[in-house]
Structure formats: C-alpha cells, structure tokens
Amino acid sequence: MQSTRIGYIARFISTSRQRLADIEVTEASPYVYHVKLDKPKKRNAFIPEMWKELRKISKDLSANPKCRSIVISGEGKSFCAGIDLQEGFGEVMNLFENDNLDAARKGRILREFIRIPQDGFTALESCYKPIIVAVHSHCIGAGIDLITACDIRLAAKDAVFSIKEVDVGLAADVGTLARIQKVVGNDSITRELALTARNFDAEEALRYGLISKIYPDQATTVAAALEMAAAIAAKSPIAVQGTKVNLNYGRDHTVKESLDYILAWNMSQLNTEDLMKSAMATMSKEKAEFNDV
Ligand SMILES: CCC/C=C/C=C/C(=O)SCCNC(=O)CCNC(=O)[C@H](O)C(C)(C)COP(=O)(O)OP(=O)(O)OC[C@H]1O[C@@H](n2cnc3c(N)ncnc32)[C@H](O)[C@@H]1OP(=O)(O)O
C-alpha cells in the first residue's frame, strides 16, 4: 500500500508530462501543477474513465509534497462540453436494455455509475491544494460540476456557461446542484439558470458571482491562473492548506461548529516553523522559503 502511494508521488515529482485518459498533468513551475483536459476533438467531453483519472490525479497531487497549487484548463475550442453524449451513457443504455435484472438491482448499478463522476469532482474539493480553474469558450453541464468543485474560477471573455442537464433529461447529479448556491449565494438566478439551461456569458457569470475575473482570451486566462497559483505556492503550505480545509468546513457547518473545528485544527497546525518564518519575512520584506509538507 505504502509503496503504491510513494509510486504515485514519485510519478508527480518528475517534471515530465503525464498523459492519462485524455488528461495531461505537467509541473508548470516549482510547486505549481497544470492539469489540462486534453480531448479537443470532443470538446473535452467526459467519459467515466476521465472521471476516474481526475480522481486519481487529485488524490495524487493532494498527497504530493512538491505540489502546492493547481491550475485546471481545457485544451482546444471548448473548456468542457459536458458529458460525452455519444459514449458517456453507454453503461446506462446497456442497463436499460438488460431484462435479467429487476429495478432494485438496476438501481444499485446506477448508483455506482453516478458515484464515479461525483467522486471525480469531489476529489477536487477535498484536495488539500487550492485549485484555480481557467475557463474559456463552452463550459457546459459537467463543466459546471467541475468548476464549482474548484476553489477559484477565472474566465476568458468568450466563456459561455450552461447548467445544461435539464436539456438532456436529467437533474444535474454530480455536483452543480449541491454546490452552486454555496458558491454564488443567489437562489433566484441559480434556479432560473438550472431550470432553463440557458447560456450565460462571462459578464453575467461575474455579476452572478460564479467567476471572480474576466481576461481577454484563453491564453491570458491560463497565464493569470498560473501566476495566481505561483503566488499561492510561495506562501506557507501549512497556512494555505489549512485555509482551504477550514473554508470548506465553514461553508458546510455553523459558525460555532467551524470555530470549534479550527480550534482543534490549529492545536496542531499552529505549532509550525512557518509562523515565525512568515512573520520575519514580512518584517524584513524578504521572501520566506518553506519546507515541504
Ligand atoms: C451520471 C452522469 C452524470 C453527468 C451528467 C452530465 C450531464 C451534462 O454534461 S449535460 C450537457 C451535455 N453536453 C451538451 O449538451 C453539449 C453538446 N455540444 C454542443 O452543444 C456543441 O457541440 C458545442 C456548443 C459544445 C460546440 O458547438 P460547435 O458548433 O462549436 O461544435 P460542434 O460541431 O457541435 O462540435 C464539435 C465536435 O465536438 C463533438 N462534441 C461536442 N460536444 C460533445 C459532447 N458533449 N459529447 C460528445 N461529442 C461532443 C461534436 O460531436 C463534434 O464532433 P465531430 O462531429 O466529430 O467534429
């Protein structure tokens, strides 16, 4: 078990490119990893293997001490066109046609089928390292599930978003409906967008609170995301990762519960050399170097 884990870590410590199930992982700069959806001919549409791979990548990077922040972007004309409508539902179609299983047994299989994309995106949320997503052009259906599981969302001017699931006959079940109101805090607009599936552009996404900044094009959006990721990676990893964990916890709990949680968290995490290093660097206006964690 231990050797497998080390094997994964070693793989990511290497600066060489990793290309797995249409997702490319590169070390963009020290401590910054770039995860690129790389299936441009299909507009980065998801199939189950891609979700499984995304989960593995997120878990590996979460455990990798040489990774302190992550950028996700999409290669080609669209950021992500949602689930692959030709291949993504293959298993479900086979299940519908299977007359040997009763409804309850089919339900159990369907539950595991839906869990794969859920776990793929939830792994981004639970990854200790902050994830900045750089969106350009189409961000549809599963694309919105993906970005709402990330920490910071930046977009190019040409970005077009759609919570598209009602148009393909389903309630979005792999993250959007669970997370988007916590991300934007606007119930009426959320319901309008999720119930009509209409497109909305980058300006509207900014007003709505889904994204935090707009850039002129894809290249400048990715460059800005990498720059932001590098700025985060230069800070204390103890402080940064503790901040992500506690922001996630605070979002899902009461103020009292969250205060209690961070008390317990900082009972160990305040015992860090990073505290003194950061304070001294601030006073001397010099850059601090932090040990891996
Ligand atoms: C348990 C499951 C949980 C997950 C649920 C997820 C649900 C969802 O994601 S719902 C949303 C599904 N996606 C869509 O409805 C988008 C479909 N695509 C489009 O509307 C358009 O393709 C798009 C607006 C993205 C781009 O339009 P454009 O005119 O610029 O290009 P096209 O000629 O339409 O497409 C280019 C080639 O890409 C292929 N493609 C695009 N989207 C998908 C897709 N979702 N699945 C599979 N393939 C896709 C398209 O077929 C073209 O291929 P080719 O003809 O071979 O060039």
Side-chain angles (χ1 to χ4, degrees):
M1 189 63 193
Q2 183 65 6
S3 65
T4 312
R5 205 175 80 88
I6 290 166
Y8 286 152
I9 291 169
R11 196 177 69 182
F12 283 109
I13 287 171
S14 143
T15 52
S16 63
R17 277 165 197 268
Q18 303 290 332
R19 214 200 123 76
L20 305 153
D22 300 313
I23 302 178
E24 187 185 84
V25 183
T26 51
E27 190 179 15
S29 61
Y31 292 111
V32 176
Y33 278 75
H34 189 175
V35 175
K36 212 183 283 178
L37 307 179
D38 194 16
K39 203 168 107 177
K41 283 190 184 148
K42 285 242 179 176
R43 306 297 181 94
N44 298 320
F46 269 81
I47 54 172
E49 285 66 31
M50 279 173 76
W51 276 302
K52 287 181 192 166
E53 202 52 52
L54 189 63
R55 177 171 183 267
K56 188 143 70 72
I57 288 166
S58 304
K59 286 183 175 291
D60 287 345
L61 292 179
S62 190
N64 180 351
K66 294 295 175 195
C67 171
R68 293 187 183 172
S69 58
I70 300 166
V71 168
I72 299 183
S73 69
E75 188 63 19
K77 288 189 179 167
S78 303
F79 169 73
C80 175
I83 194 169
D84 187 319
L85 294 171
Q86 286 152 344
E87 294 173 43
F89 287 116
E91 266 181 63
V92 178
M93 295 306 154
N94 290 341
L95 193 63
F96 288 163
E97 285 162 17
N98 185 338
D99 295 330
N100 298 321
L101 292 172
D102 66 12
R105 285 171 177 79
K106 284 185 179 180
R108 298 283 182 99
I109 293 170
L110 213 40
R111 181 177 65 183
E112 295 316 305
F113 175 79
I114 299 166
R115 212 192 287 279
I116 291 168
Q118 280 193 350
D119 288 353
F121 293 143
T122 296
L124 302 174
E125 185 178 74
S126 358
C127 176
Y128 279 148
K129 320 300 163 66
I131 303 178
I132 302 162
V133 64
V135 180
H136 74 284
S137 184
H138 308 105
C139 177
I140 301 174
I144 307 257
D145 292 301
L146 187 160
I147 67 168
T148 50
C150 295
D151 297 281
I152 300 168
R153 287 161 290 280
L154 309 179
K157 206 168 127 198
D158 70 349
V160 179
F161 302 85
S162 168
I163 305 172
K164 188 74 173 162
E165 280 82 347
V166 290
D167 278 352
V168 298
L170 54 91
D173 50 5
V174 298
T176 297
L177 300 184
R179 295 190 175 100
I180 198 159
Q181 282 162 314
K182 297 177 195 291
V183 169
V184 302
N186 186 324
D187 188 67
S188 179
I189 296 181
T190 297
R191 284 169 196 265
E192 181 202 328
L193 295 174
L195 294 169
T196 65
R198 75 166 169 82
N199 289 345
F200 54 106
D201 64 13
E203 284 295 343
E204 188 172 359
L206 184 68
R207 281 199 305 279
Y208 176 39
L210 180 62
I211 59 170
S212 45
K213 272 188 185 149
I214 301 176
Y215 296 88
D217 52 34
Q218 180 190 8
T220 51
T221 311
V222 173
L226 288 168
E227 196 181 320
M228 193 182 284
I232 292 170
K235 300 183 189 299
S236 153
I238 294 283
V240 164
Q241 292 166 33
T243 299
K244 173 165 178 173
V245 167
N246 280 279
L247 281 171
N248 282 355
Y249 192 92
R251 185 197 58 191
D252 298 336
H253 294 81
T254 65
V255 171
K256 170 81 176 83
E257 286 162 345
S258 304
L259 287 170
D260 286 344
Y261 187 79
I262 201 162
L263 272 183
W265 180 271
N266 269 354
M267 278 171 70
S268 70
Q269 297 301 290
L270 217 55
N271 292 311
T272 174
E273 60 187 20
D274 294 14
L275 195 62
M276 194 52 75
K277 278 187 182 177
S278 301
M280 284 170 66
T282 303
M283 295 308 290
S284 63
K285 299 185 171 44
E286 281 171 8
K287 194 174 167 299
E289 299 289 336
F290 300 101
N291 286 320
D292 292 347
V293 59

